[in-house]
Amino acid sequence: MAYETILVETRGKVGLITLNRPKALNALNSALLDEVNQALDAFEADNGVGCIVVTGSEKAFAAGADIKEMASLTYPQIYLDNQFGGWDRVANRRKPMIAAVAGFALGGGCEFAMMCDFIIAADTAKFGQPEIKLGVMPGMGGTQRLTRLIGKAKAMEMCLTGRMMDAAEAERSGLVARVVPAADLLNEALKTAETIASMSLPIVMMTKETINRADEMFLAEGIRFERRVFHAMFATADQKEGMAAFVEKRAPEFKDR
Ligand code: HXC
C-alpha cells in the first residue's frame, strides 16, 4: 500500500504510523485522515499487531487540521460532508494506540493525540487548542477530552486563550503519561508498545474497552460493566495461562487470537 501523507511500518508486534507532511507541519487534511484510517484498518485486521504507535516529526506531531483546506468551507458544505466525521473512526479503534508527541500538537493535532489511549511526550512537546484565534473552537473532541484529562479550569483557560502548554505542565496536568528526552521518544514509545503487545491481545482490548467506559458512563454503571468484562475474561485460555504461569514461576505464553 503506497501512502502519500503518512509512513506505515510494522516492527515486530507493533504497528507504526508516522505523519508525513513536513512542509505543512503535518497539518491534518482529508487525504491524511483517509490514509490513517486505511492504515488502522490494516493493523486492526492483522492479528500479529498488538499495539499501534502514532508519531510525527521532531518539529511537529501535527499543527492542527489543515487551515488552508478548511478556510473557505461554508456551513452547508461542512455539515453535508460531515467534515471530520472520519476522526470518530480513528478514536473508536479497538487496539491500543499510543501517541508519541514531539514539537507542536496543536488544535486537531492535540485532539488526535488525545484520541490515542495515552500520550508519551518528548520534552520538546507543546500542546494547545488555538482554534479560538481562528474564530472557531476544537471540533475533533478537544472540548470534551481535554476537559476530562486536565479538568475544567485548565481546559477552559487553554481553549479560551489558545495558549500552549509545555511538556512538563502537560505531565503535571495529566494530559500525558510520561515525558522523555526528545532523542529517546520513538524508542520509549516502541518499547512501551512492545510491552503491551506482549500481553494477551483480547485481554488488552477488553481492558481498553473497559477503561474507556470511565469516560462514557456514570461510576456505578462503569463498575458494573467492569465486573461483567472481568468475569468474561475467565472464559479465555490466556487468563488460565497467565495465572498458571505465575503459580508455576515461569513466563506466560499468551495465545488467544
Ligand atoms: C495548514 C499549516 C498549519 C495548519 C502550519 N501550517 N500549521 N497549514 N494548516 N494547521 C503550514 C504553514 O502555513 C507553513 O506553510 C508551514 O506549515 C510552516 O509553518 P510556519 O507557520 O511557517 O512555522 P512556524 O513559524 O514554526 O510556526 C509553527 C506554528 C504555526 C506555531 C505551529 O504554524 C501555527 O500557528 N500553525 C497553526 C496552528 C493552529 O492554529 N492550529 C489549529 C488549526 S484549526 P507555508 O506554505 O506558509 O510555508 C484546528 C481545528 C480542529 O485544528 C478542529 C476541527 C474543527
Side-chain angles (χ1 to χ4, degrees):
M1 178 78 211
Y3 294 101
E4 283 178 9
T5 63
I6 58 176
L7 305 171
V8 179
E9 57 189 293
T10 306
R11 296 204 188 172
K13 292 179 171 177
V14 178
L16 175 62
I17 298 176
T18 306
L19 308 179
N20 189 34
R21 298 188 68 213
K23 286 188 192 136
L25 299 184
N26 293 332
L28 308 167
N29 63 4
S30 38
L32 182 143
L33 171 58
D34 285 348
E35 292 192 346
V36 165
N37 269 320
Q38 283 170 36
L40 291 174
D41 285 345
F43 285 149
E44 292 231 300
D46 180 351
N47 279 338
V49 170
C51 191
I52 296 155
V53 173
V54 182
T55 195
S57 69
E58 251 173 60
K59 179 151 189 207
F61 176 75
D66 192 314
I67 301 168
K68 292 166 189 168
E69 191 181 65
M70 199 165 40
S72 62
L73 293 178
T74 64
Y75 174 68
Q77 282 172 329
I78 203 163
Y79 180 83
L80 287 174
D81 288 354
N82 190 20
Q83 188 89 12
F84 307 119
W87 287 103
D88 297 341
R89 289 193 62 223
V90 174
N92 291 325
R93 295 291 167 170
R94 298 176 75 213
K95 285 187 181 171
M97 286 166 59
I98 302 173
V101 174
F104 296 112
L106 301 179
C110 185
E111 295 173 287
F112 185 7
M114 290 190 291
M115 284 174 208
C116 297
D117 297 301
F118 58 92
I119 301 172
I120 298 181
D123 48 14
T124 58
K126 286 195 168 56
F127 299 89
Q129 299 290 164
E131 289 91 340
I132 194 103
K133 297 187 198 169
L134 300 168
V136 289
M137 69 173 188
M140 287 160 46
T143 59
Q144 306 304 301
R145 291 196 180 92
L146 189 67
T147 308
R148 280 171 167 80
L149 284 166
I150 69 176
K152 178 179 166 183
K154 271 185 186 288
M156 258 319 164
E157 192 210 1
M158 295 206 30
C159 291
L160 296 185
T161 67
R163 86 166 170 89
M164 290 187 215
M165 197 181 244
D166 66 17
E169 185 182 1
E171 186 177 31
R172 252 194 341 267
S173 312
L175 178 55
V176 310
R178 199 146 50 88
V179 178
V180 300
D184 303 339
L185 176 67
L186 188 59
N187 273 343
E188 284 295 325
L190 289 171
K191 250 196 323 198
T192 306
E194 275 159 25
T195 301
I196 293 170
S198 74
M199 308 295 174
S200 161
L201 181 59
I203 299 295
V204 161
M205 290 170 64
M206 285 185 230
T207 304
K208 165 172 169 160
E209 185 185 358
T210 303
I211 290 177
N212 280 337
R213 282 300 201 280
D215 280 344
E216 294 162 10
M217 287 183 174
F218 292 115
L219 184 62
E221 208 182 329
I223 293 201
R224 253 195 309 276
F225 184 80
E226 179 191 79
R227 185 77 26 83
R228 285 290 153 266
V229 179
F230 184 80
H231 290 166
M233 287 172 173
F234 283 70
T236 67
D238 283 347
Q239 176 271 327
K240 298 285 170 296
E241 168 63 11
M243 292 194 182
F246 175 83
V247 173
E248 291 158 21
K249 299 188 189 300
R250 60 177 174 81
E253 271 188 58
F254 294 121
K255 295 209 174 84
D256 279 337
R257 277 291 186 267

